[in-house]
């Protein structure tokens, strides 16, 4: 066995939660994982999902997972129903594994990837010895994910009984429909720079940059945006909001060296209309 | 030597500080550690302890360390006395090692674990060549912890002279006493969700869920809580504070899908009375 | 090959950005890196550089890089010009490698280290297949840094054509000059504790602690500081600002157990005069 082969053996576990980093909860989950699989590569996606906002967690996961190596195990915990009867699941979808509550967090995965199998995490052999009613991230999801990572997913069917993929929770807010030249959309994410990410994927608007005119109107705020930019710094006018294609492949709005959310008075969940004139 | 054996060799160093992540101080500590022990598994517990609030750091450490693998080395730096005559210590306690200032941060460890040995970190051979007066995390604690992790703790007695465990600083706020059916407690932590964690361990109140009635009263705020819930989502009434057993094994108060701290006007350090009627 | 040799093979990639941790961007960069070099040791320096404030990023990098092991690859992304014609570079300087935009972020490296070589990151073989106009951290810098780390830097010249080091962007704000007993300086960093870090290196003021008197005056705020302390806790008077030598080797101002920025009404960019009387 060559050293090259050996150094490849670093299974990735990626974490996405709404726990914040202040209280040590994420560190405890990682301690549990490292105890089961010492050579794990732990990667934080985010722990700053706004508390219990499942749709934001689902969106960030959707924008991230494709960039991780095959076999990565994602632990996702935005879990307002912890301790209730909501399911705890592990998914093998596309080239990856996903572990978390069955509450819609995995909507994009279910919509976009081939689902190979889904199980309910009910086998206590893969839980911590004492399972609390409030911290399944530590007691159920962390050990389940660690055992999956340690075995390249081979353990999946032993974690619990199979679930029918069509029975899993899905978020309706991830759907958007076009009616001729109009689309009704909403802001689904405001990033740290104040950029406004919409729920309209770029593949729905192939004419975004070629149409004679494009306009996004926020009726409640009484503002609209019609400048378009393919590059942030192109013809940069300070304080001037513009439409662009975000790196996550959705329509977005920014202000060069500024904050579009503040400039437009627009935030998470704001509805708008997209119109184009060919 | 099999690859399984090789991949087990990933000593864990866990970090807990009040440094925040903004200034790069934590990254520098990790750079020092990785230079001494390249195959280390670095895990953040928290770096958001409120500046210089030793009691909060001690509490988060107390709630976390048991979930980490045996031999984990914890570096804990909440250190208002840096540069003064406070000691810098390394502890071998239970199955773990702890490195940091002698100021009470390790109170729970001293109370709950068998102390195998304690040393003063005064041997300059295990410091960085130049020790600053303000950043012992980088210059003293990081190299000491890294050498401990690299040797599975074997180096401990070479880090400096032995200290008498009974001479170490301890926090008095971690003690609470019962008088019949009453306990005087305080809020010792408010987590990111606004949940209020008290200093009353669940093992002190075995009747918490079986008593006819239980009441927590905040005299200063003129509010009290008497609902109890074993599960967050059980009979969830919005905006209704309830008493539960936190995953760290202390009495706590929450509001389902809400913020108990804001609802009750209660925060860190608030005193209360716990009463039960059997 | 012994196991000791094998466990040394953990190349470090250190990350410094203004992305914040909320949106998952940093996690995506790490996913890309781990896909190319599974045994990487990923270390965060900071992701909380104030948005697009290149000078702060440059300062934190300057204070950090020397503490990382030789061969560490630093990815630094504070990049207001992303998508414009600003260059994307990789540097081999001193014992380290640096990857990021050519906008002044590496000013201190260029001033203080021997520059072995610089290349423009224009070879698409070392980019992700699709390069976005807004997220070069993921599409250009992460894969470039990962390939550098995987080869111990051997791949550098294949990443793109050589650049003349003298053509690289440099920040002027990192320079300060002495006129007799006076120096005009400014606050270049306010850390999480409210400590004020200046741009005057300690080696410029060898008399800082031996001079009969030293005074720092903020003319705009009408306040001055003349106490000096070699240790934080030495003769600690609450609410009393004092001058000290920061662990990054610059003059700084602190309040013991307090916040100097708030006490003095001084912040990032504030100008001052340093005077000494021998």
């Amino acid at each position: 066995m060559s050293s090259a082969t050996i150094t490849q053996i670093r299974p990735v576990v990626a974490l996405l939660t709404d726990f914040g980093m202040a209280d040590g909860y994420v560190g405890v989950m990682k301690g549990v994982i490292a105890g089961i699989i010492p050579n794990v590569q732990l990667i934080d996606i985010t722990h700053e999902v706004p508390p219990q906002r499942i749709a934001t967690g689902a969106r960030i996961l959707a924008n991230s997972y494709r960039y991780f190596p095959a076999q990565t195990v994602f632990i996702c915990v935005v879990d307002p129903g912890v301790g209730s009867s909501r399911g705890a699941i592990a998914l093998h979808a596309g080239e990856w594994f996903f572990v978390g509550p069955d509450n819609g967090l995995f909507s994009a995965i279910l919509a976009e990837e081939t689902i190979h199998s889904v199980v309910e995490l009910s086998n206590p052999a893969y839980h911590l010895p004492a399972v609390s009613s409030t911290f399944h991230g530590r007691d159920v999801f962390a050990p389940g994910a660690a055992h999956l990572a340690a075995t390249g997913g081979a353990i999946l069917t032993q974690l619990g009984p199979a679930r029918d993929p069509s029975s899993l929770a899905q978020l309706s807010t991830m759907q958007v429909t076009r009616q001729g030249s109009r689309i009704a959309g909403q802001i689904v994410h405001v990033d740290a720079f104040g950029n406004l990410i919409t729920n309209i994927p770029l593949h729905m608007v192939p004419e975004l940059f070629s149409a004679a005119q494009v306009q996004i109107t926020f009726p409640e705020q009484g503002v609209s945006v019609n400048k378009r930019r393919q590059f942030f710094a192109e013809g940069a006018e300070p304080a001037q909001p513009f439409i662009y294609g975000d790196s996550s492949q959705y329509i977005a709005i920014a202000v060069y060296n500024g904050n579009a959310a503040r400039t437009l008075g627009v935030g998470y969940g704001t509805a708008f209309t997209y119109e184009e004139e060919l």
Side-chain angles (χ1 to χ4, degrees), chain A:
Chain A
M1 171 175 274
S2 76
S3 84
T5 312
I6 290 166
T7 55
Q8 296 300 321
I9 309 173
R10 295 296 316 278
V12 176
V13 173
L15 300 96
L16 180 156
T17 77
D18 63 351
F19 291 170
M21 285 300 288
D23 300 319
Y25 299 143
V26 172
V28 164
M29 288 174 64
K30 292 178 180 173
V32 169
I33 295 166
I36 293 168
I37 173 170
N39 60 324
V40 67
Q41 178 76 266
L42 293 161
I43 298 183
D44 296 309
I45 299 178
T46 182
H47 300 292
E48 300 174 34
V49 173
Q52 305 171 341
R53 194 182 281 170
I54 297 165
T56 299
R59 173 74 46 192
I60 294 175
L61 178 62
N63 295 348
S64 305
Y65 75 94
R66 285 185 193 84
Y67 294 94
F68 282 77
Q71 306 286 93
T72 294
V73 180
F74 296 87
I75 305 189
C76 304
V77 194
V78 182
D79 195 10
V82 65
S84 74
S85 60
R86 68 94 185 95
I89 55 174
L91 281 166
H92 181 197
E95 304 177 335
W96 305 274
F97 296 88
F98 301 86
V99 172
D102 174 23
N103 63 12
L105 257 183
F106 302 121
S107 294
I109 314 303
L110 295 169
E112 294 168 24
E113 298 295 334
T114 304
I115 308 301
H116 308 296
S117 54
V118 188
V119 301
E120 185 74 30
L121 295 172
S122 55
N123 183 348
Y126 296 98
H127 297 170
L128 290 199
V131 173
S132 68
S133 60
T134 56
F135 195 179
H136 287 185
R138 176 190 68 194
D139 303 334
V140 176
F141 300 128
H147 286 290
L148 276 175
T151 62
I155 208 92
L156 182 66
T157 55
Q158 296 177 43
L159 297 177
R163 282 281 305 268
D164 175 357
S166 70
S167 74
L168 300 179
Q170 297 222 38
L171 299 176
S172 60
T173 62
M174 289 220 172
Q175 291 150 11
V176 59
T177 53
R178 180 168 191 133
Q179 300 195 306
S181 65
R182 288 176 78 108
I183 307 175
Q186 55 176 298
I187 301 303
V188 291
H189 192 55
V190 181
D191 77 14
F193 297 91
N195 299 327
L196 303 164
I197 321 299
T198 77
N199 61 345
I200 304 179
L202 294 179
H203 64 73
M204 270 188 78
V205 286
E207 315 289 351
L208 177 61
F209 290 107
S210 58
Q213 216 181 314
V214 159
Q215 180 157 312
I216 285 179
T217 306
F218 297 95
E220 213 179 307
Q221 283 74 19
V223 292
S224 65
V225 180
N226 57 27
K227 304 270 180 240
R228 286 166 286 177
R229 297 271 177 273
Q230 292 206 255
F231 301 98
F232 257 59
E234 171 203 325
E237 296 160 72
Q240 178 77 60
F242 60 86
I243 299 166
Y244 70 104
D246 179 63
S247 63
S248 63
Q249 305 301 316
Y250 287 83
I251 292 183
I253 299 171
V255 169
Y256 183 70
N257 281 354
N259 184 305
R262 221 177 292 140
T263 301
L264 293 166
V266 157
Y268 175 82
T270 306
F272 65 83
T273 309
Y274 170 95
E275 284 175 289
E276 65 192 18
E277 201 174 291
L278 298 181

